[in-house]
Structures are given as C-alpha cells and as structure tokens.
Amino acid sequence: MHNSQAFTDSLPKHIAIIMDGNGRWAKAQGKPRVFGHKNGVQAVRKTISSAARLGIKAVTLFAFSSENWRRPEEEVGILMELFISVLSSEVKKLHKNNLQLRVIGDKSRFNDRLQKKIEEAEALTSTNTGMVINIAANYGGKWDIQQAMTSIAQKVKSGNINVEDIDEAMITQHLTMSDIPEVDLLIRTSGECRISNFMLWQLAYAEMYFTEQFWPDFNEDSLVEAVTWFVNRERRFGCTGEQIKALMDS
C-alpha cells in the first residue's frame, strides 16, 4: 500500500446511486411495493452515514425520476408522502452532522407542502461544509441538459453572451450540481445495467458498478465493496475492503 494520502485520494469524490429494486424486494416477501420503499429509507441512512465516514465529497441518490410519474397514482402519492416525512425526520440529523442537503430536479410538479419542506431543508443545511447529499427527485438527465440550453439561449438572446462563447465549461455551469466534482462512481442495484436518463452529462467518465442486490438490502458492506472495486479499477492498488473500512473508523 502506498501512503495513506494517495490511498484516500484514490477514493471516489462523488458517488451517484440508482436505488433500484424496492418493489421487487417487497414482492419477493409477499408484501406491497410501499413496504419496499419504506425499507429503502433504511438503506439511504446507512449509505449516507458510511459515505460521510469515508470522507466522500458528494452523494447523489436517484429517488424519483421524471418517468416515475407513470406509476399508479396511489404509489406516486405514497412516495411523495414518504419523501415529506423523511425530509422532516432526517434533516435535523443531517444538519447536526454538518451535511448539506440539496434536491435536484423539476420541483414544480410537487405539491406546495412538499416544495416548502424542500426549501426549508435546503435552507437549514445550506451553510454546512460536510458532504453534499443530492436527492434527484423528478429529475431526468435530458431535462437537466434542456434547462441548461434554455438558460444559455436566453443569455445569447439578451446579448449577455455570444454563440462563440458556448463551450463545455459554460454548459457545465448551467447544469445542476455545477459546483460539485463530476461523478466518479455510479452504483445501480437490483441487476439492471442501464443509466435510465440519470445524469447524462455528469456521468461522462464515471465507473459503473452494477450489483444484483436489491436496494433495501444495501448496507455499509455493500458500499465498501463498491468503493473497493472502484479503487482497484482506477488505481490498481490491490486494496481490500478491510482497508476501506479502516478509513471509516479513523
């Protein structure tokens, strides 16, 4: 093993997770899908605390895609209620731990109560300096790029910028999460191997880790396994899960 700083530098700075398999996990136990979503919240807690202890800079969780509105109305309603209750119960704890919460996506479709909750949670944690937790809700990668294009086009129209000024850096600046490093590691649970219109631009150079595990079963060991895989792919250090775990306790 090289010196520990080099090792820490080889960890992913930004991890994105497509939390998939809540419904199938519940079905396998003869329970309604909602039971899976509620248990998925536990996995979110474990993941956030493990990532924070590893010193990861940002974690982005794909909670609700713009395509999810097509699900049965009752399930969408329950997901929204769950979102509100989790925001209410967890945000003080996140704040106490110096973590910053952001919700990315087109929030205009959410009801006023949820929009207000999101605003309050973001405001409370906005000056925290620890890990950034992005919750992607009613988010789509194509939507993200489209709203960046619209915003740039308006600036061209009003004469603030010239067409020739448009470059990759400018596009990046107009996307969500522009102040956070691009994603290094994408994790998707439950055996699906696609990115499902998640962050198309920000995933340009990400390593992609797919696991058969359903999201409610995802825990600290699962994250350690994914990060170990990443470090070994990226830096070929031959690092072990034990070494990653040791970082958590340091």
Side-chain angles (χ1 to χ4, degrees):
M1 180 56 58
H2 304 231
N3 68 50
S4 66
Q5 188 52 49
F7 183 43
T8 309
D9 287 348
S10 69
L11 293 177
K13 288 173 186 58
H14 185 173
I15 298 176
I17 305 178
I18 299 176
M19 309 179 289
D20 202 1
N22 289 344
R24 277 167 288 165
W25 180 86
K27 197 177 170 193
Q29 302 182 44
K31 296 277 204 324
R33 291 175 61 89
V34 175
F35 180 71
H37 295 314
K38 287 185 174 158
N39 278 273
V41 175
Q42 293 289 9
V44 170
R45 278 194 196 107
K46 290 172 190 167
T47 301
I48 287 172
S49 105
S50 306
R53 279 160 54 212
L54 270 176
I56 306 296
K57 298 267 180 290
V59 169
T60 301
L61 302 169
F62 203 7
F64 192 86
S65 75
S66 36
E67 284 81 14
N68 287 151
W69 291 104
R70 298 189 197 128
R71 290 184 178 188
E73 200 175 325
E74 187 192 8
E75 186 180 352
V76 169
I78 287 168
L79 274 170
M80 294 300 130
E81 280 306 313
L82 184 62
F83 197 16
I84 288 178
S85 71
V86 170
L87 271 177
S88 308
S89 63
E90 301 294 309
V91 72
K92 289 189 179 73
K93 202 163 85 185
L94 298 177
H95 183 48
K96 204 178 81 184
N97 287 298
N98 191 31
L99 302 176
Q100 195 182 125
L101 181 76
R102 301 181 189 177
V103 177
I104 56 165
D106 180 2
K107 291 172 261 199
S108 64
R109 274 199 72 173
F110 296 145
N111 65 36
D112 293 347
R113 193 160 63 102
L114 181 48
Q115 289 192 43
K116 192 165 184 287
K117 274 273 177 260
I118 289 171
E119 252 171 63
E120 287 166 1
E122 289 185 328
L124 177 67
T125 63
S126 63
T127 56
N128 292 345
T129 55
M131 184 173 82
V132 176
I133 302 154
N134 298 299
I135 306 288
N138 194 22
Y139 174 88
K142 290 182 176 180
W143 164 85
D144 199 355
I145 293 168
Q146 181 201 327
Q147 56 92 33
M149 295 302 117
T150 306
S151 163
I152 290 170
Q154 271 163 344
K155 287 179 181 172
V156 170
K157 193 177 167 187
S158 62
N160 291 344
I161 55 173
N162 299 315
V163 171
E164 299 75 45
D165 299 332
I166 300 171
D167 57 9
E168 277 189 25
M170 181 182 287
I171 294 170
T172 300
Q173 269 162 17
H174 288 79
L175 291 164
T176 55
M177 300 181 292
S178 55
D179 59 334
I180 295 173
E182 284 201 336
V183 179
D184 300 306
L185 170 63
L186 170 74
I187 298 170
R188 183 169 189 157
T189 54
S190 93
E192 303 295 347
C193 298
R194 53 182 182 270
I195 56 173
S196 299
N197 189 24
F198 197 16
M199 303 178 284
L200 303 175
W201 183 278
Q202 298 90 334
L203 286 173
Y205 298 105
E207 294 283 348
M208 297 187 182
Y209 177 87
F210 300 104
T211 169
E212 294 292 326
Q213 199 174 29
F214 290 141
W215 177 248
D217 293 326
F218 198 87
N219 58 21
E220 180 182 293
D221 290 342
S222 318
L223 185 73
V224 165
E225 206 173 301
V227 169
T228 306
W229 173 88
F230 172 85
V231 171
N232 288 333
R233 278 198 66 75
E234 282 289 281
R235 305 291 187 272
R236 304 187 171 73
F237 269 169
C239 97
T240 65
E242 280 68 42
Q243 287 165 312
I244 301 281
K245 277 199 144 162
L247 286 176
M248 288 182 164
D249 303 323
S250 55

